[in-house]
Amino acid sequence: MGLFRRRPKLSPADRPPLVAGERVLAWAAAGGCAEGSVLVATNLGLWLPGRAERLGWHDILRAVWSGQELVVTAAEPVVERDGYLVVADRPTETYPLPDPGELPHQVRERVTRSVAYTEAYSVPGGEGRVVARRVPGVDGLTWTVRYEPGTPVDDPAVRAETERMVAAARVATTAPEV
């Protein structure tokens, strides 16, 4: 008998409706959830139990693996501004994974690889973070801003400082002309 135990394949009933070119990288059954509650990582994102759509890697603000459970915080679009999207945290979702396999590793790797630029900054009355993400199938970077709770998002000074920070970040991520 070998050292490594072979994981069973993902059952057809648990397989999400993948699009052309999407492939399964890892999966794990969520313990304590309803029968058939499976998390599936693909090259395009994370399928969570009870969802009809995949959560793109670029839409995950945080994913934390405790060694027993995966805690996922996704982005909630708030307002689209010129050249960037303001997002907030959706409620966190926690999934106990008694047999996680490669799922936590794939989630961490894919979320991390989607981030091309991140920088925290102060604004009048609070803080914000500018993030540029790589989105599969999209040319260039997608820009988001997440403010810390309590930051006056609609304040003209906050908006002006945010636009300055996004512009500076774009310059920092643009390759110089040769």
Side-chain angles (χ1 to χ4, degrees):
M1 183 171 226
L3 269 136
F4 298 101
R5 144 177 98 86
R6 189 178 175 117
R7 286 184 59 120
K9 289 188 175 190
L10 183 63
S11 77
D14 291 329
R15 192 173 189 82
L18 306 178
V19 299
E22 186 173 14
R23 63 187 187 287
V24 173
L25 304 172
W27 64 275
C33 295
E35 188 70 29
S37 295
V38 174
L39 289 78
V40 179
T42 73
N43 56 315
L44 300 180
L46 183 63
W47 291 88
L48 297 171
R51 294 220 182 162
E53 294 181 3
R54 150 188 11 89
L55 188 58
W57 298 120
H58 62 284
D59 292 321
I60 299 174
L61 295 175
R62 275 183 302 285
V64 178
W65 172 242
S66 72
Q68 297 177 338
E69 50 188 28
L70 182 66
V71 180
V72 178
T73 306
E76 177 73 39
V78 175
V79 62
E80 190 167 346
R81 294 196 175 143
D82 188 27
Y84 65 96
L85 179 66
V86 176
V87 299
D89 294 9
R90 285 186 182 163
T92 59
E93 297 179 50
T94 302
Y95 301 95
L97 302 176
D99 185 13
E102 283 293 307
L103 186 77
H105 169 74
Q106 285 293 331
V107 170
R108 180 184 177 105
E109 182 177 313
R110 298 289 169 153
V111 170
T112 300
R113 282 190 353 200
S114 76
V115 178
Y117 176 92
T118 182
E119 184 73 33
Y121 63 98
S122 295
V123 294
E127 293 182 15
R129 177 169 294 278
V130 175
V131 181
R133 307 288 290 262
R134 296 175 191 91
V135 180
V138 175
D139 205 18
L141 299 174
T142 299
W143 293 86
T144 60
V145 170
R146 181 192 166 278
Y147 295 107
E148 288 298 319
T151 301
V153 177
D154 294 325
D155 183 299
V158 169
R159 188 168 178 169
E161 180 61 12
T162 299
E163 288 175 4
R164 188 185 74 68
M165 290 302 300
V166 170
R170 285 180 183 273
V171 168
T173 58
T174 303
E177 302 269 337
V178 180

